Amino acid sequence: MIVIRDLHKKFGRLKVLNGLNLTLEQGKISAIIGPNGSGKTTLIKCLLGLVKADQGSITVSGQSLNGDWAYKKMIGYMPQWAHFPENLTAREIISMIKDLRNGEKNWDEELYHSFNLGREAHKKIRTLSGGTKQKVGAYLAFLFHPQILVLDEPTAGLDPMASSLLKDKIMKEKAAGKTVIITSHIMSELQEMAEQIIFLLDGEVKFQGSVQNMMADNKAEKLERAVAAMMGRYSS
Amino acid sequence: MNTILKIGKHELYDVFRGKWVIVYTLFFWIITDSLFRFGGDPGRVILSLTNLVLIVIPLVSMIFGSLYLYNSREFIELLLSQPIDRRYLFMGMFGGIAIPVGFGFVIGAGLPFLYFGGRAAGDLFTLILLLAAGFLLTLSFLALSFFISVRIEDRLKGFGLAFLLWLFFTVIYDGLVLIFVYAFGDYPLERVMIILSMLNPVDLVRIALLMELDAAVMMGYTGAVFQKFFGSLAGMLITLGSMMVWILLPFYLGLRSFVKKDF
C-alpha cells in the first residue's frame, strides 16, 4: 500500500504539487491521468525518490521515504523514454543492472522471451530502434519481481504486438497481487486495464474512483469522453 | 565500494567504445612523437608539451565531462530508481570517465619517451612531473565540469559556462594578473604572485613545471623567488596540496549537489 499525505513541491516559483493526498491499495491497477503539467511526472518522481518533496510524506508498504534508498527494491520503474549508454549492448545494460542488484537472483525473464530480446541483445543500443529500447526498459521494470510497478506511458513506442504482450504481462502481475501505477494518454488502453482512475489537476487529486463510476458520473460510454468532460469542467 | 566499481566498470566500457578517448590518446601520441622527430631534445619536448597540456587538457576534460553527464541524464534517472546510493553512482561515473581520459593523456604523451628512451633518462623526473600534473589537471577539470552539469539543467548554458571557465583559467586570469602586476609594479609582489598562482589550477601546474625546466632562468628575479619556493620541499607540498583542493573541492560540491538534486 502506498500512502501519500499532503505532498507539496515547488520548482522555483511554480507550484507543481499542491497538498496532494492519495492512497493506493495493494493489488490494483491505478491510472494517473491529467492534462500536461498537472504534476503526474513529478508525483511519480517523488515516489521513485528522484524528486524530493518540499513538504508531506510518502509511505510505501509501511516504510516512510526519508532519503533511504532500500525501499526501491520494491519498485520496478519503466520510464517513458528508455535511454541507455549508446555504446553498450542491450546484454551489457541488462547485466549491469543485474550486477548492481546482486543477491537478487530470482529473475523474471518472461518478457525477455516473449519480446524475443535475445535476437537484439548483442547489438549496441545506438543501433536499436526506439521500440526495442522500450522493450528493454519494460523487461528491466519486471526483472526483480517488484511488488509495485510504475509504468510511465508504457505502450507509447511499442508496436501492437509488443504492446498487447506487455498488457498481458501487466494483467498477469496484477492477478498475482502486484500494485501497478500507470500513466497514459491512451484512454482505451486504461479503460481496458485500470480499475481505478486518479485524475490530477494543478497538483491535486480531483477525482479518485473506479472506471465505471467515472463514466457514470460523466454520462459517457467511453473513458476518453468521460475524461474529456471532466477536464473541460475543471478548466472552465 | 562495490557499487562504485560496478558502475565505473560499465561506464568505462561505454567511454572506450565511444572512441573519443582513443582519438585523444592518439592526438597526444602523434604530437609528442612529432616533437621528438623535429626537436629531438627531451627537455624541449617537455617544454612544448607543457604549453599544449595547459590548454588542451582543461578544454577536453570540460567537454568530455559535460557531454557525458548531459547525455547520461535519462540513464541516471533509471539507475536512481534502483536501490543504490546516489553518492556511489556519482563516484562510479566520475571514475568511469576520469580513468580513461587521465590515462589517455599519460599513455599518449608517455609512449614516445619510452621508445626515444635513452636520451630522455636525464629528464625522467620532469617527465613524471608533467604526466602527473596532466593527470591531476584532468581530474580537476572533470570535477568542475561534473559540478556545472549537475547544477545547471540547461545543457547549452552548462556548456557555455564550462567554456567560459576554461577561457577564464587559461587566458583571462593571466590577463588580470598582468594588469595587477602592472598597477602595483612598485611593490614587492613575489609572495602575492605565489598566492595568486595557487588560485588557478592551470597557473599552478604551469609554474610548477616551468620551475623544473631551465626556463626559470629567463624569468629574472621573480623566477629566482619562484624557484626557491617551488623547489623547496615545503613549496612542493603546498603546491600538491592546492592541486588536491582544486580536485576535491569541485568534486565535493558536485557530489553534494548530485545528492540533493531533483531529477
Side-chain angles (χ1 to χ4, degrees):
Chain A
M1 195 161 86
I2 301 169
V3 182
I4 299 170
R5 285 282 160 265
D6 195 33
L7 207 63
H8 286 264
K9 180 68 195 178
K10 269 198 277 189
F11 289 115
R13 237 176 279 156
L14 185 70
K15 275 189 182 173
V16 184
L17 297 181
N18 210 350
L20 186 139
N21 287 296
L22 185 62
T23 304
L24 297 172
E25 287 153 47
Q26 179 109 29
K28 272 195 175 178
I29 300 182
S30 305
I32 300 180
I33 58 171
N36 302 325
S38 57
K40 297 185 298 264
T41 305
T42 308
L43 175 61
I44 285 180
K45 285 183 169 182
C46 283
L47 188 59
L48 292 167
L50 294 175
V51 167
K52 289 175 182 167
D54 300 329
Q55 198 186 318
S57 69
I58 302 179
T59 339
V60 176
S61 300
Q63 207 171 324
S64 169
L65 269 62
N66 49 11
D68 187 18
W69 39 264
Y71 80 94
K72 291 180 190 171
K73 279 191 181 179
M74 296 187 277
I75 300 180
Y77 169 54
M78 178 181 174
Q80 188 172 355
W81 305 110
H83 287 272
F84 304 110
E86 299 260 291
N87 301 305
L88 296 183
T89 64
R91 183 173 292 134
E92 283 167 325
I93 307 273
I94 293 166
S95 72
M96 176 184 187
I97 303 286
K98 283 182 177 171
D99 203 18
L100 285 171
R101 303 271 298 251
N102 66 347
E104 294 172 69
K105 293 277 190 265
N106 178 22
W107 299 315
D108 181 348
E109 301 279 4
E110 188 184 338
L111 283 179
Y112 190 87
H113 302 298
S114 54
F115 284 155
N116 216 343
L117 282 175
R119 228 175 28 191
E120 314 267 4
H122 62 281
K123 294 180 188 162
K124 283 190 182 170
I125 291 294
R126 186 158 22 103
T127 65
L128 295 182
S129 73
T132 309
K133 283 189 260 187
Q134 282 299 92
K135 288 180 196 169
V136 176
Y139 158 74
L140 287 175
F142 288 90
L143 187 57
F144 300 97
H145 298 282
Q147 292 171 33
I148 298 161
L149 287 154
V150 179
L151 312 169
D152 196 357
E153 306 250 357
T155 59
L158 295 178
D159 61 60
M161 191 183 149
S163 158
S164 74
L165 282 169
L166 181 58
K167 281 188 234 168
D168 291 345
K169 178 68 179 163
I170 294 170
M171 298 306 283
K172 190 175 161 191
E173 292 304 310
K174 184 249 152 192
K178 305 288 171 64
T179 308
V180 183
I181 299 166
I182 295 187
T183 72
S184 177
H185 286 297
I186 308 169
M187 292 303 141
S188 56
E189 175 179 299
L190 294 181
Q191 189 174 354
E192 186 186 333
M193 289 192 294
E195 292 153 280
Q196 182 179 220
I197 298 284
I198 292 145
F199 178 68
L200 286 194
L201 190 70
D202 301 329
E204 284 174 70
V205 176
K206 295 286 185 193
F207 173 87
Q208 179 175 12
S210 71
V211 174
Q212 287 75 22
N213 280 350
M214 182 155 188
M215 290 193 288
D217 284 359
N218 292 284
K219 300 182 187 66
E221 304 265 304
K222 290 230 160 106
L223 184 61
E224 184 165 20
R225 294 284 172 192
V227 171
M230 185 178 261
M231 280 187 188
R233 230 176 331 134
Y234 279 109
S235 57
S236 60
Chain B
M1 195 63 210
N2 221 347
T3 312
I4 303 177
L5 291 180
K6 283 173 187 170
I7 292 165
K9 187 180 77 184
H10 283 90
E11 304 290 354
L12 204 71
Y13 290 159
D14 185 42
V15 171
F16 269 119
R17 302 257 178 84
K19 297 196 179 71
W20 285 106
V21 168
I22 302 188
V23 171
Y24 178 65
T25 309
L26 282 178
F27 167 80
F28 272 112
W29 189 18
I30 291 166
I31 295 277
T32 314
D33 186 88
S34 333
L35 284 173
F36 264 112
R37 287 180 202 282
F38 291 119
D41 166 28
R44 262 164 48 200
V45 173
I46 293 177
L47 181 61
S48 312
L49 262 183
T50 301
N51 287 321
L52 193 71
V53 160
L54 294 173
I55 304 276
V56 173
I57 287 188
L59 181 64
V60 170
S61 303
M62 284 285 215
I63 293 174
F64 271 153
S66 316
L67 256 182
Y68 180 66
L69 267 200
Y70 283 124
N71 282 344
S72 333
R73 171 74 202 233
E74 288 87 358
F75 190 56
I76 291 173
E77 286 183 20
L78 186 76
L79 287 179
L80 284 178
S81 75
Q82 300 290 327
I84 53 172
D85 194 316
R86 282 194 180 196
R87 287 172 301 175
Y88 294 165
L89 178 57
F90 186 83
M91 290 175 194
M93 287 192 307
F94 188 78
I97 185 127
I99 289 169
V101 179
F103 283 108
F105 158 71
V106 170
I107 292 167
L111 268 183
F113 284 90
L114 278 184
Y115 58 75
F116 287 106
R119 284 179 285 168
D123 297 286
L124 189 64
F125 178 69
T126 325
L127 173 66
I128 291 172
L129 200 67
L130 171 72
L131 297 181
F135 191 81
L136 295 181
L137 211 54
T138 308
L139 296 186
S140 171
F141 277 88
L142 277 177
L144 263 175
S145 75
F146 264 45
F147 177 45
I148 293 171
S149 320
V150 171
R151 280 305 289 269
I152 296 177
E153 201 71 7
D154 183 335
R155 66 177 70 192
L156 219 57
K157 279 185 196 159
F159 274 118
L161 183 62
F163 181 74
L164 270 181
L165 268 183
W166 169 76
L167 205 65
F168 176 79
F169 282 128
T170 51
V171 182
I172 298 171
Y173 189 86
D174 286 344
L176 295 177
V177 169
L178 268 181
I179 293 171
F180 174 79
V181 169
Y182 186 74
F184 296 95
D186 298 339
Y187 302 91
L189 289 176
E190 285 77 17
R191 276 168 196 283
V192 183
M193 290 294 287
I194 289 176
I195 293 169
L196 282 179
S197 68
M198 300 274 166
L199 299 179
N200 177 349
V202 178
D203 269 3
L204 198 62
V205 168
R206 182 189 345 253
I207 294 170
L209 282 171
L210 285 185
M211 289 308 117
E212 281 306 317
L213 297 161
D214 299 335
V217 189
M218 296 185 291
M219 291 169 70
Y221 176 62
T222 315
V225 172
F226 273 25
Q227 201 157 30
K228 194 167 159 234
F229 175 76
F230 286 99
S232 71
L233 183 66
M236 283 212 270
L237 287 179
I238 292 173
T239 310
L240 191 64
S242 4
M243 198 59 218
M244 284 301 157
V245 171
W246 272 110
I247 295 168
L248 295 176
L249 186 69
F251 181 80
Y252 170 73
L253 291 174
L255 180 68
R256 209 182 56 168
S257 309
F258 189 78
V259 169
K260 286 187 187 163
K261 186 178 165 75
D262 286 332
F263 282 90

